[in-house]
Amino acid sequence: MKQDRRAQRRQRRSQSPLLKIPFRQLRNPLRPLEILAPEQIEQLHEASMHILENVGIDFFDDETLDIWQRAGARVDHAARHVWLDRGLVMAAVAKAPAAFSWRARNPAHDLAVGGNAIVFGPNGGMVYAANLDIGRRPGTMADYENFVKLSHLCPVLHVSCWEQVTPQDIPPSTRHLHRLYAGLTLSDKVVMEAAHGRIITGDCLEMARLVFGDLDGDPVIGDVVNVNSPLRYDDRMLGGLITYARAGQVTFITPFILAGAMSPISIASALAQQNAEALAGIALTQLVRPGAPVIYGGFTTNVDMKSGSPTFGTPEGAWALLAGAQLARYYRLPYRGSGSLTNAKVPDAQAAYETMWTMWPAVLAHTNLVMHAIGWLDSGLTASYEKFIIDVENLAMFYHFLEGFTIDEETLALPMIAAVGPGGHHFGTPHTQARYKTEFYQSALSDRQGYDTWLNAGGQDVVQRAYATWKELLAQYEPPPIDPAVDEALQDFVVRREKELVGKNLYD
Amino acid sequence: MKQDRRAQRRQRRSQSPLLKIPFRQLRNPLRPLEILAPEQIEQLHEASMHILENVGIDFFDDETLDIWQRAGARVDHAARHVWLDRGLVMAAVAKAPAAFSWRARNPAHDLAVGGNAIVFGPNGGMVYAANLDIGRRPGTMADYENFVKLSHLCPVLHVSCWEQVTPQDIPPSTRHLHRLYAGLTLSDKVVMEAAHGRIITGDCLEMARLVFGDLDGDPVIGDVVNVNSPLRYDDRMLGGLITYARAGQVTFITPFILAGAMSPISIASALAQQNAEALAGIALTQLVRPGAPVIYGGFTTNVDMKSGSPTFGTPEGAWALLAGAQLARYYRLPYRGSGSLTNAKVPDAQAAYETMWTMWPAVLAHTNLVMHAIGWLDSGLTASYEKFIIDVENLAMFYHFLEGFTIDEETLALPMIAAVGPGGHHFGTPHTQARYKTEFYQSALSDRQGYDTWLNAGGQDVVQRAYATWKELLAQYEPPPIDPAVDEALQDFVVRREKELVGKNLYD
């Protein structure tokens, strides 16, 4: 009986075009789109070296200050401030690998990071969840698990566990335990979990060891390290950076700069500052552990000077994304950007065009790690179930697009052109009949019917169809197998640490 | 009093960011995005030469058959079929200009076609009009005039007169007269009008002479010439092609190929056939008048094999658009593609992402003439007022994006970075204060408010805001000045021809 239900589920699953593309490493074989000339990259490099040497950076963490001091930097311990010589920074940055592998619990889901490989990661940091029937509300652990399940199900997504939505029904001090337990058990793809301070990252490394054994090989976990721009790293991010880097795990050093607020108002200035801040953090990872996997991150856009809000999906954001990739290539580092950014409050045409104003540049730039690739809404405050599906559909289109098409005798089919001749049609030819099921991208979501057929079927817009799709996908979800002993060990760890961490401030 | 109202209108007009970008020739300074290797372009070229030489093309027009015969082609007059030798075709194609100027009634609106110049043209061929309050209904002359007015108003659009929507309240035999009269009087931008048969194009040339005098200089009018794919030109399109080309006016030779229906099912085959069909028409224009301005057009996508409908905004369409541009460059010809294509029935997220799946490739490919750049809905059956505004907003973003940003001492603003220092903010600095009104792209349409502000203001989606925008723009419209004698001559012509053409089949 259970067997039957499983077979039925598999049957249904095979029908959704969204699930048809097999999981694989996406690569962009096209030449990267570059908007800056080599001498402009040099200008930005020079400006950022000037900032590091003459303005310097705050590091609010004693261990970090000691590391810089030992490395020969000029350190003001009282001001917790460091001036970084370009020789020191560039020698450290040069030790970072240009590419690395990131292991998943299921080796079939291992990832390549760097070169022309593209990894699509989920949303992170959303405080609300939203869907069509309930609307927007504070995120819960159930929402978090749903997003992990959906991310696990969709083969075009490479990572299913990030901080996709805050589980506000769990105490802050133990959220990381529950998020990572869900990520490690509900999915077998690569996991990310908060690089926030030494306690959280220490727990994450412990849980990773329960699953992967020792962590000596390729990295198995990691997360973003944000800069408190302008020019400041706080203790929380530095604790995370040092703990992950020391364990050989992944950090993506990402200044979040809104030009006009955290930097001067021009994109040139924002990029020079981004570059200084990112290189400082990347150099630090290499002082902690030479060769530690690290990714150059960019998250630069501008403030809307009318509302004071950040803007997403703008020409300025596209410039910053493309120029950031050029800077990362200049330093031979993997590059992290973002994908589905938008200011829109609902998954409307604005949400879609702003997402495309981010995703097209991200893919064309050879962004190695495209975070926030699905479901982002309301300037990153909300994780939308329907936008998740709309964005996944577009990721699938990029897979198909980057595959390109074959030009050979068989596809040119000149004898068929001759046989059908002028004024005929190719619907019924053997060439068409043999290929019509597989030749073209099949949309899971886009309406392609005639107007009357569409209207008679209910006249649904894409959000209504996306709602039906995520409901259907969740109904099809099955957890990937896990060794019961590993699962039990993870559960034991979570239970023990929950007790130990009650009421504790994790960033003391 | 009238003066006052005008001043007020100008005042209001200056407030809409959509109207702030001055009219100008858009250029793409980036290297064109190319998806095919040079040897793949050669493969497509060879395949299309094979088709022209061995399969041949139908030309359902006696004058055309005579032209081919005189040029030395093998013609079967009974079958109205022609086999075209590659030497003959390529020698003729080589006479076409790589670039040309297109004159508008207002010289400030003249256009460059070719090179890295991009022209954004409006919708064409829609039978329905749709807006938020009335919904979809058959197009009328009032709708047509509204779209001409809106296109005239928006500086990012280069052309305001095409067959934007069929005026179904005007008899078919005189629609061209009313459309062109509206285009020549409600706007002073470049005009396009149907290249359909000898009568319509003859009327168009007459009306153009009333405005421009003799037509000896740069062209002043033109339109698309579609191929009845596969491999057939009908008398209607050939009459238009010959009349416009002979008068030195513009034709864009555009096969409309749905792979799997009008060509074999692969994109490789569709492109080979597109290339053969386009080159045949382009060669014909040069036999009619060497040096006549002509544009290589592509409109290739695929049939959705489930519904039998054409698909728009797909990876396949993006491939065809990008490869078509490479082919046009190979022959040193200007290139025509399309922009706002979608299958969606409403201006929802699907409409937006499919449009972006067309517009990004179109812009990156250096598409010299991007037709259907605004307002397209429902597979080209419907002209949407709201989507017009949404698309115009995105065109404005491409203008801003392609301008790029400056990197110099002033924009790098290193002294400001030093002055603000770590942990500060740049909102109030003199550098920000001097630039905050002009530094960034200002959206006319995208919501950038906080969630609560947005909700309290009515929680509108982008379609509701676009509705308000086009209403506001139409209220601001003022016709450009025209010599009353010219206007009267045009009116007289329309009145006379209306009587002469009553009940006439224009394609006899």
Side-chain angles (χ1 to χ4, degrees):
Chain A
M1 188 64 184
K2 197 169 175 195
Q3 282 293 59
D4 280 3
R5 271 209 306 275
R6 285 211 173 158
Q8 279 173 9
R9 279 189 197 151
R10 266 192 298 274
Q11 173 77 23
R12 263 179 295 148
R13 179 180 308 183
S14 72
Q15 289 165 355
S16 174
L18 269 187
L19 307 185
K20 270 188 185 165
I21 299 170
F23 179 96
R24 64 182 170 80
Q25 184 73 56
L26 182 64
R27 289 186 181 272
N28 183 349
L30 304 170
R31 192 205 315 254
L33 179 64
E34 307 218 311
I35 60 170
L36 297 183
E39 55 274 20
Q40 292 179 300
I41 294 295
E42 288 289 347
Q43 276 179 292
L44 291 177
H45 171 75
E46 280 302 317
S48 53
M49 292 299 116
H50 174 92
I51 294 167
L52 289 172
E53 290 175 341
N54 298 286
V55 186
I57 294 197
D58 282 354
F59 290 95
F60 284 6
D61 177 74
D62 290 335
E63 187 182 358
T64 304
L65 295 172
D66 291 342
I67 292 170
W68 284 124
Q69 177 129 23
R70 277 200 303 276
R74 180 154 69 97
V75 177
D76 180 337
H77 284 272
R80 298 185 294 181
H81 191 76
V82 181
W83 291 265
L84 295 169
D85 182 78
R86 70 179 66 199
L88 164 59
V89 170
M90 295 314 297
V93 167
K95 293 189 177 127
F100 59 88
S101 294
W102 191 331
R103 282 188 291 155
R105 180 157 74 80
N106 178 351
H109 290 157
D110 287 355
L111 299 175
V113 178
N116 69 353
I118 294 179
V119 167
F120 289 126
N123 259 343
M126 283 61 195
V127 291
Y128 300 102
N131 57 16
L132 190 59
D133 48 2
I134 304 181
R136 191 182 80 144
R137 75 280 179 181
T140 64
M141 194 62 206
D143 288 316
Y144 183 82
E145 290 181 349
N146 281 342
F147 283 117
V148 172
K149 290 176 182 174
L150 289 169
S151 304
H152 177 70
L153 272 168
C154 293
V156 298
L157 266 174
H158 296 103
V159 178
S160 26
C161 168
W162 205 27
E163 300 139 75
Q164 307 200 11
V165 67
T166 308
Q168 300 198 40
D169 48 351
I170 307 267
S173 61
T174 60
R175 282 177 191 159
H176 62 287
L177 302 169
H178 291 276
R179 283 194 308 243
L180 188 54
Y181 175 74
L184 286 168
T185 54
L186 299 178
S187 175
D188 58 14
K189 293 183 180 175
V190 154
V191 292
M192 297 176 175
E193 181 50 49
H196 292 174
R198 291 168 172 86
I199 297 174
I200 287 179
T201 45
D203 285 346
C204 292
L205 292 175
E206 280 307 305
M207 289 176 77
R209 283 191 190 98
L210 294 176
V211 172
F212 292 94
D214 71 56
L215 303 181
D216 289 346
D218 290 325
V220 301
I221 195 166
D223 206 349
V224 64
V225 170
N226 281 130
V227 185
N228 297 49
S229 305
L231 306 174
R232 177 174 290 164
Y233 282 78
D234 67 19
D235 54 342
R236 175 166 152 171
M237 299 318 297
L238 289 168
L241 180 153
I242 289 174
T243 312
Y244 272 160
R246 185 164 288 146
Q249 304 305 307
V250 185
T251 49
F252 3 131
I253 312 296
T254 311
F256 173 44
I257 298 182
L258 301 173
M262 294 91 130
S263 82
I265 197 166
S266 77
I267 291 296
S269 181
L271 283 168
Q273 186 182 309
Q274 167 192 300
N275 199 48
E277 293 174 351
L279 291 178
I282 291 163
L284 179 60
T285 64
Q286 301 306 306
L287 294 177
V288 170
R289 175 168 169 154
V294 62
I295 303 173
Y296 180 113
F299 204 145
T300 290
T301 179
N302 65 285
V303 166
D304 174 50
M305 299 312 284
K306 230 180 339 185
S307 65
S309 307
T311 68
F312 296 109
T314 59
E316 282 80 7
W319 290 336
L321 190 49
L322 288 157
Q326 289 189 247
L327 287 164
R329 269 193 296 279
Y330 179 79
Y331 302 113
R332 303 190 66 253
L333 294 168
Y335 178 57
R336 171 257 151 118
S338 304
S340 73
L341 310 187
T342 178
N343 288 112
K345 312 300 179 289
V346 285
D348 63 358
Q350 179 188 340
Y353 69 67
E354 289 180 336
T355 290
M356 291 288 101
W357 267 93
T358 317
M359 192 55 85
W360 268 96
V363 169
L364 294 174
H366 287 202
T367 305
N368 301 114
L369 180 54
V370 182
M371 298 310 296
H372 306 294
I374 43 89
W376 163 300
L377 215 56
D378 186 13
S379 310
L381 292 175
T382 301
S384 158
Y385 283 77
E386 287 80 23
K387 184 146 186 292
F388 181 106
I389 298 297
I390 293 168
D391 291 336
V392 163
E393 165 84 13
N394 277 276
L395 297 189
M397 287 167 78
F398 277 108
Y399 273 74
H400 196 78
F401 175 73
L402 292 178
E403 249 173 33
F405 59 98
T406 307
I407 306 178
D408 60 13
E409 203 178 310
E410 191 195 315
T411 58
L412 285 170
L414 296 178
M416 290 314 310
I417 292 179
V420 167
H425 70 78
H426 289 259
F427 277 120
T429 69
H431 188 267
T432 301
Q433 288 299 313
R435 289 164 184 80
Y436 79 95
K437 282 190 182 161
T438 53
E439 185 68 19
F440 301 129
Y441 175 71
Q442 281 201 26
S443 175
L445 195 63
S446 297
D447 168 55
R448 305 251 181 263
Q449 303 170 93
Y451 187 88
D452 292 330
T453 313
W454 169 79
L455 197 62
N456 292 334
Q460 291 191 332
D461 69 12
V462 69
V463 175
Q464 293 170 295
R465 295 193 298 275
Y467 173 79
T469 303
W470 69 258
K471 289 258 175 185
E472 190 196 320
L473 287 183
L474 275 185
Q476 289 177 23
Y477 170 80
E478 284 176 59
I482 189 166
D483 177 346
V486 170
D487 191 359
E488 203 183 322
L490 286 169
Q491 289 189 36
D492 289 348
F493 182 84
V494 170
V495 169
R496 172 167 69 81
R497 290 296 285 161
E498 255 192 313
K499 285 183 198 140
E500 293 168 0
L501 294 178
V502 163
K504 189 151 186 179
N505 180 346
L506 300 181
Y507 313 114
D508 274 347
Chain B
M1 189 62 185
K2 198 172 172 191
Q3 283 294 61
D4 281 3
R5 270 210 307 275
R6 283 214 174 156
Q8 281 172 9
R9 278 190 197 150
R10 267 192 296 272
Q11 173 76 23
R12 263 179 293 147
R13 181 179 306 181
S14 72
Q15 290 165 355
S16 174
L18 268 187
L19 307 185
K20 271 189 186 164
I21 300 170
F23 180 97
R24 64 180 170 83
Q25 183 73 57
L26 182 64
R27 289 186 181 272
N28 182 350
L30 303 171
R31 191 206 312 256
L33 179 64
E34 307 218 309
I35 59 169
L36 297 183
E39 55 273 21
Q40 292 179 299
I41 295 295
E42 289 288 348
Q43 277 179 291
L44 292 176
H45 170 75
E46 280 301 317
S48 54
M49 293 299 117
H50 175 92
I51 294 166
L52 289 172
E53 290 176 340
N54 298 286
V55 186
I57 293 196
D58 282 353
F59 291 93
F60 284 7
D61 177 73
D62 290 336
E63 187 183 359
T64 304
L65 295 172
D66 290 342
I67 293 170
W68 284 123
Q69 178 128 23
R70 277 199 303 277
R74 181 155 67 96
V75 177
D76 180 336
H77 284 271
R80 298 185 293 181
H81 190 77
V82 181
W83 292 265
L84 296 169
D85 182 78
R86 71 179 67 198
L88 164 60
V89 171
M90 295 313 296
V93 167
K95 295 190 173 121
F100 59 89
S101 295
W102 190 331
R103 284 189 289 156
R105 182 157 75 79
N106 178 351
H109 290 156
D110 287 355
L111 299 175
V113 178
N116 69 354
I118 294 179
V119 167
F120 289 127
N123 259 341
M126 282 61 194
V127 293
Y128 301 102
N131 57 15
L132 190 59
D133 49 0
I134 304 182
R136 190 183 79 146
R137 74 283 179 179
T140 63
M141 194 62 206
D143 288 315
Y144 183 82
E145 290 181 351
N146 281 342
F147 283 116
V148 172
K149 290 175 182 174
L150 289 169
S151 304
H152 177 71
L153 273 168
C154 293
V156 298
L157 267 174
H158 296 104
V159 179
S160 26
C161 169
W162 204 28
E163 300 139 74
Q164 306 200 9
V165 65
T166 308
Q168 299 198 42
D169 48 351
I170 306 268
S173 61
T174 60
R175 281 175 191 161
H176 63 288
L177 301 168
H178 292 275
R179 283 193 308 241
L180 187 53
Y181 175 75
L184 286 168
T185 54
L186 299 178
S187 175
D188 57 13
K189 293 184 180 175
V190 154
V191 292
M192 297 176 176
E193 181 51 48
H196 292 171
R198 291 168 172 86
I199 297 172
I200 287 179
T201 44
D203 285 347
C204 292
L205 293 175
E206 281 308 306
M207 291 176 76
R209 284 192 189 95
L210 295 175
V211 172
F212 293 93
D214 71 55
L215 303 181
D216 289 346
D218 291 326
V220 301
I221 194 166
D223 204 351
V224 64
V225 170
N226 281 129
V227 185
N228 299 50
S229 304
L231 306 175
R232 177 174 290 165
Y233 281 79
D234 67 18
D235 54 342
R236 174 167 154 171
M237 299 317 298
L238 289 168
L241 179 153
I242 289 173
T243 312
Y244 272 160
R246 185 164 288 144
Q249 304 305 308
V250 186
T251 50
F252 2 131
I253 313 294
T254 311
F256 174 45
I257 298 183
L258 301 172
M262 293 91 128
S263 82
I265 197 166
S266 77
I267 291 296
S269 181
L271 283 168
Q273 187 183 310
Q274 166 192 302
N275 198 48
E277 293 173 353
L279 291 178
I282 291 162
L284 179 60
T285 64
Q286 301 306 305
L287 294 177
V288 170
R289 175 167 168 156
V294 62
I295 302 173
Y296 180 113
F299 205 145
T300 290
T301 180
N302 65 285
V303 166
D304 174 50
M305 299 312 283
K306 233 183 329 190
S307 65
S309 307
T311 67
F312 296 109
T314 59
E316 282 79 7
W319 290 337
L321 189 50
L322 289 157
Q326 288 191 248
L327 286 164
R329 269 193 294 280
Y330 179 77
Y331 301 113
R332 303 190 65 252
L333 294 167
Y335 178 57
R336 170 259 152 116
S338 304
S340 74
L341 309 187
T342 178
N343 288 111
K345 312 301 179 289
V346 286
D348 63 358
Q350 180 188 339
Y353 69 67
E354 289 181 336
T355 290
M356 292 288 100
W357 267 93
T358 317
M359 192 56 84
W360 269 95
V363 169
L364 294 173
H366 287 204
T367 305
N368 302 113
L369 179 55
V370 183
M371 299 309 297
H372 306 293
I374 44 89
W376 163 299
L377 215 56
D378 187 13
S379 310
L381 292 175
T382 301
S384 158
Y385 283 77
E386 287 81 23
K387 184 147 187 290
F388 181 107
I389 298 297
I390 293 169
D391 291 337
V392 163
E393 165 86 12
N394 276 276
L395 296 189
M397 287 167 77
F398 277 108
Y399 273 75
H400 196 79
F401 175 73
L402 292 178
E403 249 172 33
F405 59 98
T406 306
I407 306 179
D408 60 15
E409 202 179 311
E410 190 195 317
T411 59
L412 284 170
L414 296 178
M416 290 314 310
I417 292 179
V420 168
H425 70 79
H426 289 258
F427 277 120
T429 69
H431 188 267
T432 301
Q433 289 299 313
R435 289 164 184 79
Y436 79 95
K437 281 189 183 160
T438 53
E439 185 69 18
F440 302 128
Y441 176 71
Q442 281 201 27
S443 176
L445 194 63
S446 297
D447 168 57
R448 306 250 180 262
Q449 305 170 92
Y451 187 89
D452 291 331
T453 314
W454 168 80
L455 197 62
N456 291 334
Q460 291 191 331
D461 70 12
V462 69
V463 175
Q464 292 170 297
R465 296 193 299 275
Y467 173 79
T469 303
W470 69 257
K471 287 257 176 189
E472 189 196 323
L473 287 184
L474 275 186
Q476 290 178 21
Y477 170 79
E478 283 176 62
I482 188 167
D483 179 344
V486 170
D487 192 358
E488 203 183 324
L490 285 170
Q491 289 188 34
D492 289 349
F493 183 84
V494 170
V495 169
R496 173 168 67 81
R497 290 297 286 161
E498 253 192 316
K499 284 181 199 143
E500 292 168 1
L501 293 179
V502 164
K504 192 153 179 176
N505 180 346
L506 300 181
Y507 313 115
D508 273 350

